[in-house]
Amino acid sequence: MPRKSATTQRSQQHGEPARGPHTAPAPQKQITGKRAYWLGIAFLAVAALLIGRLFWVQVIIGDDLREQANDQRSRTYVDRARRGEIVDRDGNKMAYTMQARSLTVSPVQLRSELKEQQELQMRVDGLSNEDIAAQVDARVEDVLRTMANEIPGMIGDGEVVSDTPANTATAEPTTKVGQVSAKEILDKLHADSSYEVLVRNVDPDVAARVAETFHGIAADHQDIRQYPNGAVGENIIGKVSMDGQGQFGLEASRDADLTGIDGRSTEDVSAGGQSIPGSLRDVVPAVGGSRIELTIDLDLQTYVQQALEQAKANSLAKEAQAVVLDAHTGEVLAMANTDAINPNGDIEQQIKKGKDFENPSVSHPFEPGSVAKVITAAAAIDQGLTDPFEVHQVPGSIDMAGITVRDAWEHGVMPYTTAGIFGKSSNVGTLQLAQRLGEERYADYLNRFGIGQSTGIELPNESSGLLPVLEQWSGGTFANLPIGQGMSWTALQMASVYQALANDGERIQPRIIASITGPDGEPIPQEEPEHTRVVSEQAARTTVDMFRSAFQEDPAGINNGTAQGNTLEGYQFSGKTGTAQKVNPDTGAYSQSAYWITFAGIAPANDPRFVVAVMLDEPQRGVLHGGSGGQSAAPVFKQIAGWLLNRENVPLSPPAEPYRLQGE
C-alpha cells in the first residue's frame, strides 16, 4: 500500500480536501465576493435613483402632477342661465327664451380619434401595416360622409336629392333639411379647427340622439330667443345676438338684468368619457335673468304700428312715428315707427329693403313746427299776459331783428283772439305773444318743458334734441323758436310737452318699464320718475281747453281750426297741427318743398286720459285712403285716440261752446 505524503496527511487531519500534486488553487471565493460587492453598489445606486425620483415626483412636482391628473379626468360643465322674459303691461310675452341645443364638434380631434379607431379595427381584422396605411384615410372619410348625410335626416325630414351612395369615399353628401345641408356639415367636419357648430336650434331630445349615435358630436346647450309678435314692438325690444347678448333696444340696455348668472359643476370622467359616480362637486346652480314688465299695451302697439304703415303708404311719406302716453303717469303705452324689422325673418333681406332695429321715436329728432306753439301759449297764460278771449291785431307779417316772418296765408291786419291765433296757427300772432314774454322768460319755459334735454327714459340711444343756449341766440333765433323752427324734438319729447299740460301742468318723466322682478320672484326697486311743475294748474287747464279750437268747424270759415274734420262725435279733442320746413342739405337753407308734418293732441280734452304725438316725414299727400285727409297728421291722431276711447269705454264729453277765433 503506498505511503501518504506528509502534506496529504496534514490536510486530511485538518479536514481540507486533498489536492493533486500538480493542481493550482481556484480563486472562487475572491471572484464571488467581488461580484456581490459590485452588485450591491449597483443596487444601492438604482435604489438611490428610484428614491430620488420618487422624492422628485411626490415632493417636488407632486402638486403639479396631481393638478394635471385632475385636469385630465375632470370636466367642468356650464349650466346656462335662462334669459329673463320681457312682457307688456298685461303680461303678454314680447320676448322669451326657449331651450335648444347646438350640435358641435372638434374636427381636428374627431379625425384623429376616428383614425385611431379605424387602425385598431383593421389590426383586429388581421390587416397588414401596409394595408392599414393604404386604407385608413378612406375609411375615416367614409365615416365623415356618413355623418354628414345622416345628421340632417335625424334632425328633420331629410330630402335625398341624389341616389349616390353615402358610404364610400367618393360619394357626395346629398341630404338637406331646411337651411342645413350635408355638404355644409361635411365642410365643417373637414375644417382645420378645434371647434365648429354643425347645426343650431336643435330639439334637445333629437340632439341627444345624434350625440349618442356619432362619436365626437356634442349637444351643447343653446337658448333660442323668441319674439312671438314679429316686428310689433321690435323698435323697443331689440334683439340678441347668436351668442345671447343684447344688441338693440331693451335687450341691449337691460342686458345685465335679463342675462342672469350661469351655473357650474365639476365631475370626473373615465378615459372612455363615462362619468365617475360620486365625483360631482363644486355645484353652483344657475340663476335666471329678471323679468321685465313694460308699460306698453301690446294691442295698442299693434294697432298704432298698423296705422302708421297705412299712413305712410297712403301719403307716400319716407317714415312715420307715433308715441302714446298715459296723461297722468307719463307711462309709454305705445311707441311705434314704420319699417320696424321682424327678428324672425331674413334679417339681411329686410335690411336691404330699408328696415332696421332703430327706434327713431327717441333717437331721431326733428323740427316740430307749429306743434311747439303750445309752449308760447301756456307760458303767456301762466304769466297772466293774455287769456283765450283777448283780441289781437295781427298783421300778415312781422319783422324781428331783421327777420321777416309771415303767416301761411295772405291777410291784412286781422282781429284774432288768443284762441284764434293758435286755432288758426298764426305765426305772427304767436311771435307777438312771445315778445310779451321776452327771450329770458321764454327760454325758462323751454327748460321747464324739457326741451333740449333727454327725458331719461329707459331706452338706449336717446337724443336730447337740439336747443341753442340763450347766450348763443342770434337776432333771428327768437323769430324761429316760438313757431317751432330752429330747434329739434323727438316724438317722445313732443308727447311729453303735451303730457305736462294734460296733467294739470306737471311734467312726469316718461317711463317704459313698469317693474322688474328678480329670479327669486321679488320685485327689484326702480327709481321714481321725476316730477316737474311747468305751469300752474289753472294755466294748464286753460291752455288745454283753448286748444280745442284747432278742431273747430265753421261753415262760414271764420271760427274753423287747422284740424277741422278730425273730431270724434261725442268727445272733445285738444291739440295742434304742425308743419316744419326741413333744411336743404345742399344749400343749408330751409327747403320750400320738404316738410315734417306733425300733430300732438290730448283725448278727451275735458278729462285727459291719453296723449298722442305723430310725425310724418315728407308726405306727398294725405294720410287717408287714396291720399285724402289733407296735408296733416291729425287723421292719424283721430284714429289712435278713437280706438283707445272706444276700447276703454271712456265716458262721452259734455257739450262745450266753441271758441270765438276772430273778433269784430
Side-chain angles (χ1 to χ4, degrees):
M1 180 175 185
R3 186 179 178 182
K4 297 181 181 177
S5 67
T7 303
T8 301
Q9 289 178 350
R10 285 194 301 267
S11 296
Q12 288 178 345
Q13 289 175 359
H14 292 282
E16 293 181 7
R19 297 189 185 128
H22 302 290
T23 302
Q28 185 67 34
K29 284 186 177 181
Q30 185 176 1
I31 294 175
T32 302
K34 288 183 179 180
R35 182 178 299 170
Y37 172 79
W38 288 112
L39 286 175
I41 294 296
F43 174 80
L44 290 175
V46 171
L49 287 174
L50 292 175
I51 292 172
R53 179 63 177 171
L54 185 62
F55 177 82
W56 176 264
V57 169
Q58 290 191 340
V59 178
I60 304 300
I61 65 171
D63 291 340
D64 292 339
L65 291 177
R66 279 191 293 272
E67 187 173 332
Q68 291 178 19
N70 287 333
D71 290 342
Q72 290 175 356
R73 69 170 180 267
S74 66
R75 297 289 184 270
T76 298
Y77 303 100
V78 176
D79 182 13
R80 299 294 181 187
R82 179 74 67 91
R83 192 174 181 85
E85 295 179 338
I86 302 177
V87 300
D88 82 335
R89 66 190 303 113
D90 295 318
N92 297 308
K93 292 183 179 181
M94 301 186 74
Y96 67 94
T97 296
M98 184 179 72
Q99 288 190 345
R101 297 291 184 272
S102 291
L103 297 177
T104 63
V105 67
S106 172
V108 172
Q109 183 177 350
L110 172 65
R111 294 194 299 271
S112 174
E113 292 174 354
L114 289 178
K115 186 173 183 179
E116 291 178 5
Q117 291 177 358
Q118 294 301 320
E119 288 176 344
L120 178 60
Q121 183 60 49
M122 285 189 285
R123 287 193 180 93
V124 172
D125 294 340
L127 274 69
S128 64
N129 290 337
E130 291 77 8
D131 290 339
I132 292 174
Q135 299 180 24
V136 65
D137 290 339
R139 292 200 179 194
V140 169
E141 186 65 18
D142 283 347
V143 176
L144 296 178
R145 289 179 179 270
T146 299
M147 294 169 66
N149 268 291
E150 292 188 9
I151 288 175
M154 294 180 70
I155 64 174
D157 296 325
E159 177 185 358
V160 178
V161 296
S162 171
D163 291 331
T164 304
N167 58 351
T168 67
T170 59
E172 291 300 322
T174 57
T175 311
K176 182 173 182 177
V177 177
Q179 299 301 314
V180 181
S181 73
K183 185 178 185 307
E184 292 170 352
I185 292 178
L186 184 62
D187 290 341
K188 292 178 179 180
L189 294 176
H190 283 153
D192 187 19
S193 65
S194 58
Y195 183 81
E196 292 287 337
V197 178
L198 299 181
V199 189
R200 297 184 186 272
N201 304 345
V202 181
D203 179 89
D205 292 336
V206 174
R209 288 198 298 271
V210 173
E212 291 173 0
T213 303
F214 297 110
H215 175 81
I217 303 296
D220 291 350
H221 181 100
Q222 179 193 0
D223 287 335
I224 304 175
R225 197 62 167 169
Q226 297 290 314
Y227 301 98
N229 306 295
V232 175
E234 264 311 297
N235 57 313
I236 300 168
I237 303 301
K239 178 183 177 293
V240 297
S241 67
M242 293 295 292
D243 297 326
Q245 294 181 333
Q247 288 183 305
F248 306 99
L250 283 168
E251 293 278 30
S253 63
R254 291 286 167 166
D255 190 60
D257 293 315
L258 293 165
T259 299
I261 304 173
D262 292 341
R264 303 179 73 84
S265 62
T266 302
E267 188 175 26
D268 292 338
V269 297
S270 66
Q274 290 79 23
S275 298
I276 298 176
S279 64
L280 185 64
R281 61 192 181 278
D282 301 333
V283 178
V284 179
V287 178
S290 298
R291 178 179 186 267
I292 297 180
E293 179 181 316
L294 304 182
T295 61
I296 293 295
D297 182 320
L298 182 58
D299 290 340
L300 175 63
Q301 179 76 22
T302 303
Y303 180 82
V304 172
Q305 283 193 220
Q306 292 173 343
L308 289 181
E309 291 290 355
Q310 193 62 58
K312 176 190 174 185
N314 291 337
S315 66
L316 306 179
K318 289 185 174 181
E319 68 163 319
Q321 304 172 18
V323 173
V324 182
L325 300 181
D326 183 294
H328 298 298
T329 66
E331 292 180 345
V332 179
L333 304 179
M335 178 182 286
N337 54 269
T338 51
D339 298 317
I341 206 163
N342 182 353
N344 303 322
D346 188 324
I347 302 297
E348 185 175 346
Q349 289 300 317
Q350 292 182 80
I351 290 175
K352 289 180 180 179
K353 294 179 180 179
K355 298 182 182 295
D356 55 52
F357 285 102
E358 292 186 18
N359 189 1
S361 297
V362 298
S363 60
H364 292 185
F366 50 84
E367 296 196 14
S370 294
V371 165
K373 292 175 180 176
V374 75
I375 294 180
T376 302
I381 291 173
D382 190 50
Q383 290 291 318
L385 301 176
T386 189
D387 61 57
F389 312 104
E390 180 186 0
V391 177
H392 308 263
Q393 300 304 314
V394 181
S397 65
I398 187 173
D399 184 85
M400 294 181 65
I403 303 296
T404 299
V405 179
R406 294 180 172 81
D407 278 336
W409 67 100
E410 294 289 337
H411 65 83
V413 176
M414 297 294 294
Y416 292 141
T417 64
T418 302
I421 286 174
F422 298 106
K424 291 182 175 294
S425 197
S426 168
N427 293 332
V428 177
T430 301
L431 291 175
Q432 287 179 319
L433 289 171
Q435 286 178 323
R436 292 187 186 182
L437 277 169
E439 292 186 4
E440 289 189 4
R441 280 197 294 189
Y442 177 69
D444 177 52
Y445 278 96
L446 289 175
N447 181 66
R448 294 190 200 182
F449 276 99
I451 307 305
Q453 310 161 35
S454 63
T455 68
I457 195 165
E458 316 94 323
L459 289 170
N461 305 321
E462 183 187 11
S463 170
S464 60
L466 176 65
L467 175 66
V469 296
L470 180 59
E471 293 75 18
Q472 295 178 344
W473 288 13
S474 63
T477 303
F478 196 44
N480 281 322
L481 295 181
I483 60 175
Q485 298 273 186
M487 59 179 167
S488 61
W489 303 358
T490 64
L492 178 61
Q493 288 175 317
M494 184 164 68
S496 181
V497 167
Y498 280 74
Q499 180 274 326
L501 296 172
N503 191 43
D504 293 336
E506 185 178 53
R507 178 168 61 90
I508 300 179
Q509 183 182 20
R511 313 306 290 162
I512 203 166
I513 293 180
S515 65
I516 299 179
T517 304
D520 57 358
E522 294 295 321
I524 298 175
Q526 303 297 303
E527 291 185 7
E528 290 294 322
E530 295 181 4
H531 292 231
T532 303
R533 171 58 58 182
V534 177
V535 296
S536 68
E537 291 185 19
Q538 186 58 45
R541 291 173 184 171
T542 300
T543 304
V544 170
D545 191 64
M546 182 176 69
F547 271 64
R548 289 190 296 109
S549 60
F551 291 90
Q552 289 184 181
E553 297 183 54
D554 179 10
I558 297 176
N559 292 312
N560 60 331
T562 56
Q564 62 174 319
N566 290 288
T567 56
L568 192 65
E569 186 176 358
Y571 290 102
Q572 298 176 19
F573 287 162
S574 174
K576 187 71 190 74
T577 56
T579 302
Q581 292 173 287
K582 299 181 71 173
V583 174
N584 187 323
D586 296 327
T587 64
Y590 280 114
S591 170
Q592 300 301 314
S593 59
Y595 301 92
W596 285 295
I597 303 298
T598 58
F599 190 91
I602 299 167
N606 61 295
D607 183 18
R609 291 279 304 276
F610 308 107
V611 174
V612 182
V614 181
M615 188 280 287
L616 299 170
D617 186 2
E618 294 190 35
Q620 304 301 306
R621 55 188 190 182
V623 296
L624 300 181
H625 182 70
S628 63
Q631 197 78 351
S632 171
V636 181
F637 164 81
K638 176 184 177 181
Q639 288 177 326
I640 296 171
W643 187 90
L644 272 168
L645 296 172
N646 178 66
R647 190 192 68 167
E648 298 298 318
N649 294 317
V650 176
L652 297 177
S653 303
E657 288 293 323
Y659 279 92
R660 185 181 176 192
L661 305 188
Q662 185 174 315
E664 298 297 333

